[in-house]
Amino acid sequence: MTPHEPPPPGGWHPPETGVGGPDGSADAEPLGTEVRRAALVALGLAVAGVLLGLLWLWLAPRIPLFTDGKAVYVKNPESEEAIGADGTFVLLGLGFGALSALVVFWLFRRGGIPLVVGMAVGGLLGSVVAWQLGAWLGPADAVEQARALGKGAVFDSPLELQAKGALLAWPIAGALVHLAMTALFGPRDPEPTHPMGY
């Protein structure tokens, strides 16, 4: 239709071509904005790993060791304290994942793949920060402690994460909870209308 031709009967107009959501809505955000938001979320969760590390250091059970002057031994070999540090880290990671997902959903409401990826990456970075911080602030190396304290001394083992898969507790819990919140309470796409308007 040229500019001088009258509009066709029936009030039909060609569809507008613009940037919008999959339903044609114009309120969809640009991809760059979503990526920046995801990067901000990842950075925030990585920093929150400091809190997780401090809580892990405070709550994780210690493994008592002793030395006879020649070697270092576990004082209670049959105790479950050896796996207590890993279990504590997993439980804290699950809690941090669920809490961070709720906070991110409350702040942004909208989901999107970039935001979920940012949460997963941030949760993993936060877990690594927590692991390294807890190990760094925890008791010193067992051999060094044994040499410094001497024969017959009893001391705590270093804080270690035996099962490295525990690092995935935070990102997995965060992604799952956020996806669930988005599915249950996220904005809904409007119902498609019939081409004839009814």
Side-chain angles (χ1 to χ4, degrees):
M1 182 178 66
T2 63
H4 300 289
E5 293 181 1
W12 179 88
H13 297 281
E16 297 181 359
T17 57
V19 179
D23 58 345
S25 60
D27 59 349
E29 296 180 342
L31 180 60
T33 301
E34 293 187 1
V35 171
R36 286 192 295 271
R37 180 180 298 165
L40 181 63
V41 168
L43 179 61
L45 295 185
V47 174
V50 174
L51 179 58
L52 174 58
L54 294 177
L55 287 175
W56 183 46
L57 177 64
W58 178 39
L59 297 175
R62 301 292 191 267
I63 304 175
L65 307 175
F66 76 94
T67 176
D68 59 1
K70 297 181 180 179
V72 178
Y73 304 93
V74 178
K75 188 175 182 181
N76 302 313
E78 297 181 357
S79 69
E80 298 181 355
E81 293 170 337
I83 61 174
D86 289 8
T88 302
F89 193 94
V90 169
L91 292 177
L92 288 173
L94 293 175
F96 268 65
L99 181 60
S100 61
L102 293 176
V103 171
V104 170
F105 180 79
W106 179 70
L107 289 175
F108 301 117
R109 281 288 174 167
R110 292 184 175 276
I113 295 178
L115 189 59
V116 175
V117 172
M119 288 191 58
V121 172
L124 182 59
L125 291 176
S127 296
V128 173
V129 169
W131 165 41
Q132 295 297 320
L133 181 65
W136 180 56
L137 296 178
D141 180 74
V143 176
E144 294 179 1
Q145 293 188 77
R147 290 175 179 172
L149 297 175
K151 182 179 179 179
V154 178
F155 50 91
D156 291 335
S157 69
L159 187 59
E160 297 178 343
L161 192 63
Q162 303 292 339
K164 299 304 186 289
L167 297 173
L168 300 177
W170 184 346
I172 290 177
L176 292 179
V177 172
H178 188 268
L179 288 173
M181 294 296 295
T182 302
L184 292 175
F185 305 108
R188 298 287 189 269
D189 292 334
E191 295 292 334
T193 57
H194 193 275
M196 298 301 294
Y198 58 88

